[in-house]
Amino acid sequence: MYVDVILPLALPGLLTYEVPSGDESAVQEGCRIIVPLRGKRLHTAVVRRIHNNKPDHATEPYLSVLDTQPLLSPATLKFWDWIASHYCCGPGEVALAALPSGMRLASETKLELSPDAEERDEEELGDKEFQVVEALRLRGGLSFKEVGSLLGVVNPAPLLHRLVEAGWVLSMEELKASPRRKLVSMVRLSEQACADERWLNEALDALDSRAPSQSRAMMTLLAEDAAPVGVPLESLTKMEGVTSTLFKRLMEKGLVFQFKQDPWQLQSSQEVEPLATLSEAQQKAVGSMREAFEATPLVLLEGVTGSGKTEVYTHLIHDVLESGRDALFLVPEIALTTQLIVRLRRFFGDRLEVYHSRFSPRERTATYRRVSSKESRGRLMVGARSAIFLPFSNLGLIVVDEEHDASYKQQDPAPRYQARDAAAMLGRMHSAAVVLGSATPSLEARFAVQSGRAAHIELAERFGGTSLPEVGLVDLRKAHKQRAMEGHFSRTLLDALKSTLEAGKQAILFQNRRGFAPVYQCRTCGWVPDCERCDVSLTYHKYLKDLHCHYCGYRQGEPSTCPRCGSEEVEAKGLGTERIEEEVVQLLPGVTVQRMDLDTTRSRTGHERIIRAFEQGEIQVLVGTQMVTKGLDFERVGLVGILQADHMLHFPDFRALERTFQLLTQVAGRAGRRGERGQVLIQTFDPEHWVFQHVVTHDAQAMAEAELKERASFGYPPIVRLVRLIMRHRDPHLTREAASALAGRLRSRFGGRVIGPEEPGIARVNDLYQRHILLKVERTVDTVKFKEAMMEDIGTLRQVPRFKPVRVIVDIDPY
């Protein structure tokens, strides 16, 4: 017997190994096994198929089987095959994206003891496991091979996998992961105090006379009326005269119980609440969607911002979970999961789980195992795009929230998949319903409706009858002429901001560029500092006092003089979120301001901390990039200000107008979601532009119709499909020659469908020069045969010795 395995490496296909004698009944498709590579290194591989066909080349046996039951279901393996085929990448690259790092140890992996190992019970360890833990405790770290030498075994992988997945040992990948979530100390009444009211009263009377300070602490806890759930210790100790020491003494007396809890589960109770009551419009939408699922599994839910799409989703999810099937809820940004978890956990309790890249490898591994377990059914998984790779075997519903968002597209590394499209295929393979939800649907989703591949359901009114925000355009040309500007704020926006804050409401200021300023320039000679490795100018970050390249990570210090002419007149030009934050502080002293961009949310709890503070009113003005534009639900936001809308319009991309409309409409939708009507002010030098006019009237349908006509005229998606071929090498001349040779070969086969090669806007990134070739493919063309012919031409190019070092990247649907 032989097995074809998927090795989680960037290899073009499967590798074949012999099944050792006696393992015929142990190995199964979807299991992980340990295989030798080139006779030396050991790797974890996934069994894709088992057969009796002897290959032409020599084979060697694998070493051991790691899973007694298949980790991956047949549906999951089939989905991996589709991803590899559709996005023109190797199965190993799919495995790298899909499997948590704790599930793919290799022989060169470094291992260290987990920080919380000292708190664990060593009695659960076997003799050899205890030996490894003790060695790691004494020596600090060991390699895979050193563990094998220590135990006197050739293959320590099964034992190490058990230790990693149980949390005793961390692999090097885990050591590089974000810090663990900081748990919150909680206090609640002890079980005896809850069960025996008479005993509790006697104890309280005794405290009154003997320990008045402890009595005061107990009264503070009882006043919170949250005995079964618990109260954060920090909130209790804010009371005058109440300290954490008092609660320790009360715990010693058996009156209270202290424990740690995830801060985003604080609002959940032990009892699951009934689903929210739907409005008439929501009920109609739910009924229409249930009917639509009988005809087509794909439904587009178009609901204006604040219409209550999440409540509609919860009723559909409830139906699926009650039937014993799983549901997957995809969101484009990790930031969105923070609010969503709190809202959904109230209805689904511990049936809800979260999966995204901010969790540690150990947590992702545990979640991955639970999903693959046959005993785990009727669960709701919430996550960003990578959650589509979870090993579902009984999936009933997929919700793709904010389906229009560009974050669903994976850029680097391969597979460069579009999670929205992959979710539609995943749903088809599992016979599951797929819901695409958005206030500003993508043209691809609308085109699917027009071509009969999806049903269309509308939610045209906000929940509770609240009106859509009033959108106003501020003409920056007039404001500059009339000297009505304070920094980058027009007087109109500044006055509106003051009025909003005076009324006790909050404001959001949007600028889709992080940093302080995009350009640092000498006023005397015009010198601009550029990245040494990329063809871009460096962005100035005032907080860190240095200049950054947002493409390769290169940094240099803030220059005090111009290196070209020696002038001291060097200054930051342009507008980023840091500068907006600084100007708000200067113009409105005493106002609490917080930024929400990639720089302030790098830590694992960064999103959660900022969103929670804004929800609780600790932040009055939130300045942010596109992170603040989608899906967040805040009650007290009265004003949304967009400071520079024009640069989005003129971005060199065929989707610039569509994305500008989506971004502006989404960020506008954060205002006035409860009670009074919100206000939105857009600062622009071109207020007459038709895109801004559609934003003012909230007319997504008219915007889509105009864009679809334009795309049809010039042959752009969704009317046709695009494939981008990216050529990269350190030598610009070799890159140009290889691109020309490949374009010529493709053009002889596909004719006018081939455009380029062209030099992109940023020709060099991280010292690699680039050339792009674009292929336009009609939707009537057989894409499978088209890709096979394209990959054949790429393979022919790679056979030319001088072009072998040039990397060719295939990006299907590069938008």
Side-chain angles (χ1 to χ4, degrees), residues 82-368:
W82 178 83
I83 289 281
S85 171
H86 184 72
Y87 292 103
C88 299
C89 62
E93 292 173 309
V94 180
L96 273 172
L99 291 175
S101 59
M103 287 190 159
R104 43 183 171 84
L105 295 182
S107 57
E108 61 270 24
T109 300
K110 296 292 184 182
L111 303 153
E112 285 195 12
L113 203 62
S114 172
D116 59 356
E118 300 299 330
E119 303 170 10
R120 292 174 169 269
D121 184 6
E122 293 181 349
E123 291 183 4
E124 66 185 58
L125 297 173
D127 291 342
K128 289 189 175 181
E129 291 169 340
F130 178 77
Q131 191 177 350
V132 173
V133 170
E134 279 298 297
L136 289 171
R137 187 176 283 131
L138 293 171
R139 296 168 62 176
L142 294 170
S143 69
F144 193 97
K145 289 182 179 179
E146 287 171 336
V147 173
S149 301
L150 174 72
L151 300 178
V153 296
V154 176
N155 176 30
L159 181 143
L160 287 175
H161 269 283
R162 289 197 298 272
L163 287 173
V164 169
E165 292 178 13
W168 280 93
V169 173
L170 296 179
S171 65
M172 184 59 77
E173 290 88 347
E174 290 176 292
L175 298 175
K176 294 178 181 176
S178 302
R180 292 181 298 161
R181 186 187 301 272
K182 183 180 179 182
L183 300 179
V184 173
S185 293
M186 304 286 291
V187 179
R188 63 173 172 81
L189 291 178
S190 66
E191 291 183 12
Q192 184 177 3
C194 290
D196 191 341
E197 187 175 349
R198 181 179 176 183
W199 178 82
L200 175 61
N201 289 331
E202 289 175 356
L204 291 175
D205 291 340
L207 288 177
D208 266 339
S209 57
R210 299 175 189 171
S213 57
Q214 293 178 32
S215 175
R216 188 163 54 251
M218 278 297 295
M219 291 300 106
T220 304
L221 175 62
L222 292 170
E224 294 287 342
D225 193 26
V229 180
V231 182
L233 180 61
E234 186 180 0
S235 67
L236 294 172
T237 54
K238 287 180 180 177
M239 305 290 179
E240 187 176 349
V242 177
T243 64
S244 58
T245 307
L246 295 177
F247 286 102
K248 287 182 181 178
R249 292 173 185 165
L250 291 171
M251 187 170 64
E252 291 169 0
K253 294 179 179 180
L255 285 165
V256 302
F257 175 68
Q258 280 191 243
F259 59 100
K260 301 275 189 179
Q261 186 168 323
D262 188 317
W264 280 99
Q265 296 179 18
L266 296 184
Q267 296 179 22
S268 65
S269 61
Q270 292 181 343
E271 293 185 6
V272 175
E273 297 178 12
L275 295 178
T277 304
L278 300 180
S279 67
E280 186 177 340
Q282 289 173 324
Q283 288 175 352
K284 184 179 177 182
V286 170
S288 300
M289 292 172 79
R290 285 170 178 159
E291 291 176 11
F293 289 147
E294 296 177 5
T296 175
L298 185 62
V299 172
L300 170 62
L301 175 62
E302 181 180 1
V304 297
T305 54
S307 59
K309 294 187 290 295
T310 304
E311 281 66 36
V312 171
Y313 300 149
T314 58
H315 282 256
L316 298 174
I317 291 167
H318 180 264
D319 293 347
V320 170
L321 299 191
E322 289 302 302
S323 70
R325 302 184 75 186
D326 296 330
L328 173 62
F329 198 125
L330 292 178
V331 292
E333 292 272 4
I334 294 172
L336 295 188
T337 62
T338 54
Q339 269 199 332
L340 194 63
I341 293 164
V342 174
R343 294 173 68 181
L344 294 179
R345 202 179 291 279
R346 296 203 309 266
F347 307 127
F348 303 111
D350 59 5
R351 289 196 289 179
L352 181 149
E353 291 204 44
V354 187
Y355 186 87
H356 56 63
S357 59
R358 289 291 173 96
F359 285 119
S360 71
R362 186 182 65 178
E363 290 171 312
R364 291 204 301 276
T365 298
T367 303
Y368 203 91

Side-chain angles (χ1 to χ4, degrees), residues 701-747:
Q701 185 64 39
M703 166 69 196
E705 289 174 0
E707 268 293 276
L708 280 172
K709 286 180 183 177
E710 192 88 356
R711 303 275 180 90
S713 300
F714 294 97
Y716 276 97
I719 311 303
V720 301
R721 306 199 69 161
L722 288 187
V723 178
R724 178 185 292 145
L725 303 181
I726 305 169
M727 319 287 285
R728 287 181 182 167
H729 193 263
R730 291 181 177 274
D731 184 344
H733 305 294
L734 186 61
T735 307
R736 190 182 304 115
E737 289 177 30
S740 298
L742 179 57
R745 182 174 290 277
L746 292 169
R747 197 169 281 115

Side-chain angles (χ1 to χ4, degrees), residues 330-485:
L330 292 178
V331 292
E333 292 272 4
I334 294 172
L336 295 188
T337 62
T338 54
Q339 269 199 332
L340 194 63
I341 293 164
V342 174
R343 294 173 68 181
L344 294 179
R345 202 179 291 279
R346 296 203 309 266
F347 307 127
F348 303 111
D350 59 5
R351 289 196 289 179
L352 181 149
E353 291 204 44
V354 187
Y355 186 87
H356 56 63
S357 59
R358 289 291 173 96
F359 285 119
S360 71
R362 186 182 65 178
E363 290 171 312
R364 291 204 301 276
T365 298
T367 303
Y368 203 91
R369 277 202 170 280
R370 282 195 294 273
V371 174
S372 69
S373 169
K374 291 182 179 179
E375 290 75 30
S376 177
R377 292 292 178 266
R379 304 194 72 83
L380 168 61
M381 301 303 305
V382 179
R385 62 174 180 259
S386 60
I388 64 167
F389 289 114
L390 286 168
F392 295 103
S393 56
N394 194 24
L395 193 58
L397 175 69
I398 303 174
V399 175
V400 185
D401 196 23
E402 309 294 346
E403 61 82 22
H404 66 276
D405 199 279
S407 300
Y408 281 123
K409 171 66 176 175
Q410 164 76 5
Q411 300 297 338
D412 274 312
R416 294 170 179 81
Y417 62 95
Q418 164 56 257
R420 177 196 60 223
D421 300 343
M425 178 54 68
L426 182 64
R428 187 186 305 174
M429 290 179 175
H430 285 267
S431 299
V434 180
V435 179
L436 308 178
S438 177
T440 54
S442 63
L443 295 188
E444 287 74 27
R446 291 191 186 277
F447 188 75
V449 172
Q450 289 181 9
S451 28
R453 292 181 288 116
H456 185 207
I457 310 295
E458 283 191 87
L459 263 176
E461 61 183 51
R462 278 189 157 187
F463 183 79
T466 307
S467 300
L468 287 168
E470 178 187 358
V471 180
L473 300 173
V474 180
D475 191 339
L476 289 179
R477 294 171 302 185
K478 290 183 179 179
H480 280 285
K481 285 180 182 178
Q482 296 170 359
R483 299 178 182 267
M485 296 292 295

